[in-house]
Amino acid sequence: MTTDKQFKRATRELAEREGISYTAARRRLAAEPQPAVSAPPAPAPAAVEAGPPRLYPITCTVCAIDCDGTAHPGALCRPWRPEDSKHVRYEVRRAAQLPNGRAGELCHRFEPPAPGHPYGSFFGREAAWLLALVYAMLADQRPELRPGRAELRAAVEADDQAAVDAVMEPLDRAAARLLTKVPDRWWGEVKPQLDAYADFVDTDERELLTWQEADDRHTVGRLVDRWRRAWTESRNYNGYMEAPGVMWLAPKGWLDDLLVEQYGGHGDGARVRLTDGRPAIVYAAEWSEAGAPVAYRIRELEAGRHGNVGKLVPSLTSDELVTRDQVAGELNDVA
C-alpha cells in the first residue's frame, strides 16, 4: 500500500471516530507532524552465478549412418568412429582414423628400419605428425576428399586393410601431390600453405555443433601448436639459437610407396635404368589425378669413390625429373 492510500484511510477513520467531516479530519492530520516513512528498499539485483555444467546425454550405442535423432529423443547422436569397431585388427582401425591414426599407420608401414631402430628411424617417426597436419588441412579445405562414413565403416568392419586404403586413396593421393622432396617447392609453396592453414585454425570461430567436432578441433589445434614450435627458435645443445624444423622429406616417401603398391610403378629408392642407358635411383614420384606415376624424380647413379669403388651410388648433386616413358625398367646389373 502506498503512502497516499494510507493517509486517506487514516483520514476516514479519524472522521468516523471524532464525528467530524472528512475535510476537517484531513486538515487535522495534515497539521499534525507525520512520522517519516522510509521508502521500501530497492530489491537487490539478482546475483549472476555460474550454474553447474549442463550434462547432455549421449546414446550408448553407435547410431546408424542415416540416423536423424528420432530414435532417441533428448539425447545426442553418437556417430560411428573406427575405434567403435570391435574384433578388428588394430592396424586396420588405425589406418582409418584421421588425421593422426592414418599418418602413424603409414609411418609404421613404410618407414625403413635403421640400425637399432627396427621400426624406422627416430627422425622419420617424428615426421608422422606433419603428415597428420597435411591430412587435417586437406580434409578441412576439400571435404570431398574425406571418405564416406558408410564405405569406411564397411571396410573397417570387414577387417580389410586394402579396402581401407582404397577408401582413403583420394586423400592419400592429394597429400602425395602436395608434398615434395624439392627444396624450392617446399619452401616456396608447401610451407606457406601450411602456415596459412595454421593461421586459419588459430582464428577459426565456426560454431561447434557436436562434442566430436570439439574433439577434432582440439586434435588439429595440437598439431598446429607443434607446427608453430617447429619454427620457433630455441637454444640447441651447442648453445646456439635455431628452430627445430621438421623432417618434411619422409612423408612423401611413405605416400609414394603406398600408391605404388596400389597402382604399380617404382617406389622410393628403386634402382632403374633409363631409356638412354643411364642407371638411376628413384627419389620421388609425381602423381596425376588417378593411376600410376606420370613422372619420377631421379638421381643418377655413378661409380663410387673413396672406398666404394665398384659400387653404384647416387649422386647427391643431381635431381632430374623424367617422364614414365623414359624409365626402361628395374636395374638388375648393379655392381
Side-chain angles (χ1 to χ4, degrees):
M1 185 180 294
T2 62
T3 305
D4 185 57
K5 289 183 178 180
Q6 292 175 345
F7 182 80
K8 290 180 178 179
R9 189 176 67 175
T11 302
R12 287 195 300 270
E13 294 177 351
L14 178 61
E16 294 175 357
R17 188 173 58 251
E18 298 292 334
I20 58 177
S21 64
Y22 179 84
T23 303
R26 185 179 179 87
R27 291 174 181 172
R28 184 184 299 182
L29 288 177
E32 295 177 358
Q34 301 293 327
V37 179
S38 60
V48 179
E49 298 180 357
R54 299 183 62 183
L55 300 179
Y56 296 90
I58 301 173
T59 57
C60 298
T61 58
V62 177
C63 295
I65 298 298
D66 56 350
C67 179
D68 58 359
T70 57
H72 41 75
L76 296 178
C77 293
R78 183 184 174 187
W80 174 87
R81 284 192 168 187
E83 53 267 29
D84 294 323
S85 296
K86 308 301 180 184
H87 309 293
V88 174
R89 288 174 296 164
Y90 170 71
E91 56 267 25
V92 175
R93 295 197 306 268
R94 181 171 62 173
Q97 295 171 358
L98 289 173
N100 290 319
R102 181 70 179 171
E105 172 61 23
L106 295 190
C107 174
H108 176 77
R109 201 189 308 178
F110 296 107
E111 176 63 20
H117 300 281
Y119 298 107
S121 69
F122 169 78
F123 299 102
R125 296 197 308 273
E126 278 295 293
W129 68 266
L130 175 61
L131 180 55
L133 180 61
V134 171
Y135 277 143
M137 179 182 70
L138 292 174
D140 198 7
Q141 295 179 348
R142 300 177 60 186
E144 69 276 7
L145 296 176
R146 296 183 66 95
R149 193 181 299 273
E151 294 80 4
L152 185 61
R153 182 174 181 176
V156 172
E157 293 184 346
D159 200 10
D160 189 348
Q161 192 172 59
V164 173
D165 291 342
V167 175
M168 289 286 187
E169 189 267 335
L171 194 60
D172 292 333
R173 185 176 290 270
R177 297 183 65 190
L178 173 68
L179 292 175
T180 181
K181 289 188 176 181
V182 181
D184 291 342
R185 184 164 176 262
W186 164 260
W187 295 106
E189 299 178 20
V190 182
K191 184 180 181 296
Q193 188 171 346
L194 290 171
D195 284 333
Y197 179 66
D199 295 336
F200 168 76
V201 172
D202 288 340
T203 58
D204 189 6
E205 297 181 354
R206 289 176 296 179
E207 183 181 2
L208 300 175
L209 302 178
T210 66
W211 63 274
Q212 288 181 327
E213 290 182 3
D215 189 27
D216 293 341
R217 183 79 60 85
H218 175 69
T219 299
V220 176
R222 294 187 63 180
L223 293 173
V224 168
D225 289 341
R226 190 158 185 177
W227 173 261
R228 298 292 194 197
R229 292 197 303 269
W231 307 109
T232 302
E233 289 190 350
S234 59
R235 196 170 301 278
N236 61 17
Y237 292 108
N238 297 322
Y240 296 101
M241 298 295 293
E242 67 174 0
V246 296
M247 293 292 295
W248 50 273
L249 295 173
K252 172 62 173 172
W254 307 337
L255 293 166
D256 287 348
D257 290 341
L258 172 68
L259 295 175
V260 163
E261 277 190 357
Q262 300 176 15
Y263 296 95
H266 304 286
D268 183 21
R271 296 193 170 211
V272 298
R273 184 174 295 279
L274 304 181
T275 53
D276 58 8
R278 290 181 298 158
I281 186 171
V282 174
Y283 187 52
E286 300 294 329
W287 301 90
S288 62
E289 292 290 344
V294 295
Y296 297 98
R297 239 171 229 288
I298 57 98
R299 285 181 172 176
E300 188 175 358
L301 288 173
E302 57 185 12
R305 299 184 298 273
H306 309 296
N308 291 323
V309 177
K311 294 183 179 181
L312 293 179
V313 296
S315 173
L316 300 181
T317 59
S318 67
D319 190 351
E320 183 180 349
L321 181 65
V322 299
T323 64
R324 180 175 54 189
D325 297 335
Q326 293 178 267
V327 179
E330 294 283 347
L331 182 64
N332 298 319
D333 54 341
V334 179

